[in-house]
Amino acid sequence: MKNNKSYGLDTLAVHAGDFKDAFGSVVTPIYQTSTFEFKDADHGARLFAGEEDGFIYTRIGNPTIRSLEEKLATLEGGQFGLAFSSGMGAVSTLFAAFLGQGDHVVSTAAVYGPSRGILETYFKKFGVASSFVNTADEREVEKAIQPNTKLVYLETPTNPTIELTDIEAVSSIAHEYGIPVVVDNTFSSPVLQRPLELGADIVLHSLTKFINGHADVVGGALIWNKEDFTPLLRKTMAYFGPNMDPHQAYLVYRGAKTLSLRVLKAQENAITIAKYLENHPKIEWVKYPGLKSHPQYDLAKKQMKGPGSMMSFGVKGGLEAGKKLMNSVQLAKLAVSLGGVETLIQHPASMTHAGMSPEARKQAGITDELVRFSVGIEDVDDLITDLSQALEKI
Ligand code: LCS
């Protein structure tokens, strides 16, 4: 199917990126090849010169990977996409492409730990400065912008504090200064939030999460509209080599076909679970954009089609009580990652965000008692029974 904008998101999730091969294969085949034969020497030269479209070498591009890139770009409402070996492959390529010595980046404080860590360690080593601010307040973004700011990097909702940034408001501020805006859309997926339509310039995904959705592949992606970014991002990826593998692309392509079904079912479960937890006497607080108690409930309604299935909460009794809960659940699995069909629970301060300094965690609002819950697509009654028996043990 050629990407047809008149189709709905579910149709596009199933079909966008498909192409006809010589045998009429209904499913995009896995082109498990590292290199591609040229028709003749001039053909090879034309491909290298970018004068003709085609494939050269899988680190630079591959038909299975391209199919996935087209599907993802279509779902996000973008023109171009690049798939990576991991979400961090996408993050590091993005920063390497846009930031150089003497440059500065403004980022959401509470981003995924390694997305912050790579700026605070490696990019700092290469002479890139960064400011981590509460982007939920767009005035903080404007205050942090410097003459050398080259990128505004947002994550919304944030991992794991579930805070939102107004993408439209921050994009219009950043654009006044000519600065591109990137949104890590991992927690929402294009089913619930489409940052390019809200003014962002680039969308980033850890495909490992909702888009693949089955906790069996690690992957990442960048999606954008501006043609100028294409040679820059492609070249950076081809030089550094964090490209996706064709088999990995095939699995993510397959997973993405059921994206809405999974995201919407998990969200339905999460709405029920968040209300259950909020009313539970052993729970101190719950942070979930679908609850009226979320400070940005109105913003969630404005920029997201739904609150998703990620939440964080604190158990009365703090860290020790939270640990007891994590050790007592039987159906939910105690594991990092998120956005899969299975429900996962984890403790960010000692796991996903342990690499951040205690000061950075404090600034980002990642308190020691915070428990993160990624709701899956199981029967919601079973999940509540599981939480209930675990909470009784505290
Ligand atoms: N962005 C966000 C929002 C993430 O949650 C992650 C991974 C990444 C980027 C990096 O993607 P990866 O390289 O892992 O595909 N988040 C993880 C988490 O919360 N638990 O384990 C990984």
Side-chain angles (χ1 to χ4, degrees):
M1 185 191 79
K2 268 287 135 206
N3 303 334
N4 187 327
K5 290 206 164 18
S6 68
Y7 285 126
L9 198 78
D10 291 354
T11 306
L12 294 171
V14 175
H15 295 289
D18 287 352
F19 63 92
K20 289 206 188 318
D21 75 344
F23 305 102
S25 172
V26 166
V27 170
T28 295
I30 308 172
Y31 285 85
Q32 195 71 48
T33 180
S34 59
T35 192
F36 297 81
E37 189 180 4
F38 306 129
K39 289 176 200 141
D40 55 36
D42 286 343
H43 176 227
R46 284 196 305 277
L47 290 178
F48 268 97
E51 291 162 9
E52 191 177 318
D53 189 28
F55 297 101
I56 298 170
Y57 184 60
T58 285
R59 173 160 48 74
I60 305 169
N62 171 290
T64 315
I65 301 169
R66 182 183 283 184
S67 284
L68 174 65
E69 290 166 345
E70 281 184 15
K71 191 188 284 296
L72 298 174
T74 306
L75 293 179
E76 283 288 2
Q79 293 283 323
F80 309 102
L82 262 187
F84 295 86
S85 55
S86 69
M88 285 314 297
V91 172
S92 52
T93 299
L94 171 83
F95 291 156
F98 281 87
L99 303 169
Q101 195 166 32
D103 291 341
H104 172 251
V105 53
V106 177
S107 166
T108 305
V111 286
Y112 172 57
S115 301
R116 178 167 174 156
I118 196 175
L119 288 171
E120 286 178 322
T121 53
Y122 292 95
F123 282 87
K124 184 176 173 204
K125 189 171 83 172
F126 300 137
V128 176
S130 35
S131 298
F132 297 94
V133 301
N134 174 19
T135 53
D137 180 354
E138 55 267 19
R139 288 164 307 183
E140 294 285 312
V141 177
E142 186 152 28
K143 265 196 268 168
I145 289 174
Q146 299 174 11
N148 56 342
T149 304
K150 293 287 161 56
L151 205 63
V152 170
Y153 185 77
L154 306 176
E155 193 177 292
T156 177
T158 48
N159 181 1
T161 49
I162 321 290
E163 261 162 28
L164 312 188
T165 293
D166 187 330
I167 298 170
E168 210 165 10
V170 170
S171 299
S172 76
I173 290 170
H175 291 164
E176 275 175 36
Y177 297 84
I179 305 166
V181 174
V182 183
V183 175
D184 184 332
N185 201 28
T186 299
F187 268 39
S188 296
S189 92
V191 174
L192 302 179
Q193 179 170 275
R194 307 229 300 169
L196 297 178
E197 288 171 359
L198 296 167
D201 301 280
I202 299 177
V203 167
L204 185 143
H205 275 287
S206 166
L207 301 173
T208 319
K209 319 301 181 204
F210 291 97
I211 292 185
N212 178 60
H214 294 77
D216 51 7
V217 187
V218 170
L222 294 174
I223 297 134
W224 65 95
N225 268 317
K226 278 200 190 81
E227 201 147 13
D228 296 359
F229 295 165
T230 305
L232 174 68
L233 288 167
R234 284 202 160 278
K235 194 170 179 177
T236 311
M237 187 190 74
Y239 275 7
F240 282 84
N243 56 284
M244 190 170 253
D245 173 84
H247 188 254
Q248 200 184 359
Y250 164 81
L251 286 170
V252 179
Y253 195 83
R254 182 170 74 162
K257 292 181 189 189
T258 55
L259 181 63
S260 298
L261 293 176
R262 292 182 283 98
V263 165
L264 297 179
K265 164 73 172 153
Q267 174 175 265
E268 195 183 308
N269 285 354
I271 291 169
T272 308
I273 289 170
K275 286 182 187 151
Y276 163 79
L277 288 173
E278 195 170 49
N279 291 314
H280 198 286
K282 290 195 178 160
I283 297 291
E284 185 81 49
W285 56 268
V286 182
K287 195 89 174 283
Y288 178 63
L291 291 177
K292 289 217 172 78
S293 58
H294 192 290
Q296 296 161 299
Y297 180 75
D298 292 336
L299 175 59
K301 285 231 171 265
K302 188 181 98 170
Q303 78 177 7
M304 298 169 76
K305 291 198 188 78
S309 50
M310 294 300 301
M311 66 185 72
S312 57
F313 58 85
V315 184
K316 282 183 187 158
L319 177 58
E320 280 316 306
K323 272 191 181 165
K324 183 83 185 158
L325 172 79
M326 287 184 277
N327 290 334
S328 304
V329 285
Q330 289 166 3
L331 180 56
K333 289 182 170 31
L334 178 56
V336 298
S337 202
L338 57 105
V341 291
E342 55 288 286
T343 297
L344 301 180
I345 192 166
Q346 70 111 1
H347 180 236
S350 68
M351 296 172 188
T352 45
H353 293 70
M356 280 164 79
S357 67
E359 299 77 48
R361 275 204 301 276
K362 188 163 179 234
Q363 185 219 2
I366 306 167
T367 50
D368 279 349
E369 89 277 11
L370 186 152
V371 173
R372 193 185 73 184
F373 205 53
S374 170
V375 181
I377 64 167
E378 300 94 337
D379 286 300
V380 71
D381 291 347
D382 294 335
L383 292 170
I384 287 181
T385 306
D386 186 34
L387 282 168
S388 161
Q389 66 77 27
L391 285 163
E392 258 170 44
K393 299 213 168 88
I394 295 168

